[in-house]
Amino acid sequence: MSDSNLAIAVCIVSHNSALDLSSCLDAVGRQTLRPHEIVLVDSASTDDSIKTAGRSMPSDIPSQLIELDQNVGFAGGANRAIQESEAPYVLLLNPDTIPDPEFLQNLARRVLSSGDLRLGAVAGRLVRATNPPASARLDACGMFLLPTWRHLDRGSGEEDRGQFMISERVFGATGAASLFVREALEDVAFGSDVFAPEFHSFREDAELCFRLQERSWIAVYEPTAKCIHRRQVTPDRRREIPPEVNYQSLKNRYLLRAYHQDLANFLITFVPTVIRDLLAFFWVISVERTSLPAYRWLWVQRGNIWKRRRQIQSRRSCSSWSITRWFFRRSLPL
């Protein structure tokens, strides 16, 4: 099979994204590998996102524009987009991204060269939009984990000096602009939901990556697949971020561990994780009190959290170490 025969659905979730949608959809329309379809789900925007999307959709690519009457976050919007698409490969794309013309083609070539690998996702090389462009900085070159249970993007914020130019295995792929194999997504889904809806809009991609790893699906980083990302949510801007986003971030930090941490990992990462939790707690009670309801939500939902954990862990098909090693390795060779 040639890369031109690889059918890819481009799935985009927008929320008040009118300023970005035109350039994003224009870039999709300029792909050398034509997408099989585009599904754009708008999550209750109050700006001109719908109008902008309607007039910016490439005319030669089958497209759906779905308008939701409530903001279900990235998780809910992405679930709907994936459900409405049909291609065997799914490209999740944020509205604030501008993929290079050969982005899809280079992702497809990596898929076709994967051989016998149980490939679940391919992460591209994301670069932050900067002015001037000569000062480009990396945004994401695959996801990695720290013993504190933080999940970060390799190279995030670093000056682009040509590092990370080797294709290799990584823990996961960011939801901003990554290719997923539908078979893998269906294998780890909760019914028809690929993303856990309770994550809403933060860390939902990391949670999906845990489920993929736990079912022995691998993620690969492909440096030739380049994409610009105008990232707005970064740790250094936490005070500027809307309270709802910070609330979701705090809640989902604990939810991620509740679903995926096993006893061996708990013991290995206990000290750095507890230190981080204490620092977060004191930050919340002293500075970011709008996030305090996250702790109450976790307590009220403890029964549902336990049920979800049992569901996830019952599917696990890999060893404890195959997951825990990612807390100490940023990549593995192909």
Side-chain angles (χ1 to χ4, degrees):
M1 180 190 295
S2 67
D3 53 6
S4 62
N5 293 324
L6 204 72
I8 299 174
V10 176
C11 293
I12 302 172
V13 180
S14 64
H15 175 68
N16 293 336
S17 307
L19 294 177
D20 295 312
L21 278 170
S22 180
S23 56
C24 177
L25 289 169
D26 178 65
V28 172
R30 291 186 286 105
Q31 292 296 302
T32 54
L33 173 58
R34 310 304 290 167
H36 177 77
E37 58 188 325
I38 300 172
V39 180
L40 192 153
V41 173
D42 184 79
S43 196
S45 289
T46 56
D47 64 0
D48 290 330
S49 292
I50 293 294
K51 292 181 180 178
T52 302
R55 62 173 177 260
S56 302
M57 286 285 195
S59 59
D60 63 330
I61 302 174
S63 303
Q64 296 185 62
L65 178 54
I66 301 169
E67 185 176 2
L68 303 182
D69 58 7
Q70 61 178 322
N71 182 7
V72 295
F74 178 83
N79 284 339
R80 180 66 183 274
I82 294 168
Q83 292 161 13
E84 296 294 335
S85 66
E86 60 180 24
Y89 297 90
V90 174
L91 177 74
L92 291 177
L93 198 63
N94 276 8
D96 60 355
T97 59
I98 304 176
D100 281 6
E102 294 185 348
F103 184 69
L104 275 183
Q105 188 169 24
N106 288 329
L107 290 175
R109 286 176 178 169
R110 172 49 54 192
V111 170
L112 294 172
S113 63
S114 61
D116 295 330
L117 292 177
R118 187 172 161 85
L119 187 66
V122 184
R125 182 182 182 84
L126 275 61
V127 179
R128 291 186 186 171
T130 55
N131 189 20
S135 62
R137 293 189 174 274
L138 296 175
D139 183 72
C141 298
M143 186 185 296
F144 72 98
L145 305 174
L146 291 177
T148 55
W149 268 79
R150 290 190 72 185
H151 57 90
L152 301 172
D153 295 308
R154 296 195 312 162
S156 179
E158 295 180 13
E159 181 183 351
D160 187 354
R161 305 182 305 276
Q163 64 272 48
F164 303 112
M165 291 307 294
I166 299 175
S167 186
E168 50 196 344
R169 289 180 59 180
V170 290
F171 172 75
T174 174
S178 295
L179 186 71
F180 293 88
V181 180
R182 185 178 296 272
E183 180 185 358
L185 296 180
E186 292 177 346
D187 182 52
V188 303
F190 305 114
S192 61
D193 288 336
V194 167
F195 289 96
E198 59 269 27
F199 274 72
H200 194 269
S201 55
F202 207 77
R203 306 185 196 275
E204 71 291 316
D205 51 356
E207 197 281 324
L208 172 62
C209 290
F210 266 98
R211 276 183 281 133
L212 288 169
Q213 288 285 348
E214 288 164 355
R215 288 288 295 165
S216 302
W217 294 99
I218 73 166
V220 173
Y221 164 66
E222 177 49 54
T224 64
K226 299 178 182 179
C227 179
I228 294 173
H229 183 205
R230 192 175 66 82
R231 184 187 292 266
Q232 301 178 57
V233 178
T234 55
D236 59 298
R237 297 183 61 235
R238 190 173 182 96
R239 288 177 184 253
E240 305 170 32
I241 295 171
E244 173 63 19
V245 175
N246 286 331
Y247 161 80
Q248 292 290 344
S249 174
L250 181 67
K251 170 179 71 71
N252 294 344
R253 165 196 294 194
Y254 298 103
L255 205 52
L256 189 68
R257 294 218 305 273
Y259 287 174
H260 298 287
Q261 189 170 43
D262 59 24
L263 179 59
N265 182 278
F266 173 80
L267 296 173
I268 291 171
T269 64
F270 177 77
V271 172
T273 301
V274 166
I275 292 173
R276 182 178 176 233
D277 286 347
L278 289 173
L279 290 173
F281 178 73
F282 286 118
W283 169 265
V284 169
I285 62 174
S286 61
V287 179
E288 195 180 283
R289 295 186 179 180
T290 54
S291 294
L292 274 172
Y295 294 108
R296 182 178 185 276
W297 186 94
L298 291 164
W299 175 253
V300 171
Q301 294 293 323
R302 63 191 184 279
N304 292 328
I305 292 171
W306 177 247
K307 289 178 183 178
R308 182 76 94 184
R309 173 184 169 82
R310 289 170 56 188
Q311 180 185 13
I312 292 170
Q313 294 299 316
S314 69
R315 299 175 177 178
R316 192 164 175 161
S317 63
C318 66
S319 67
S320 175
W321 175 246
S322 67
I323 302 298
T324 296
R325 65 180 174 177
W326 285 111
F327 288 81
F328 305 96
R329 296 287 299 273
R330 298 196 177 190
S331 65
L332 291 169
L334 285 176

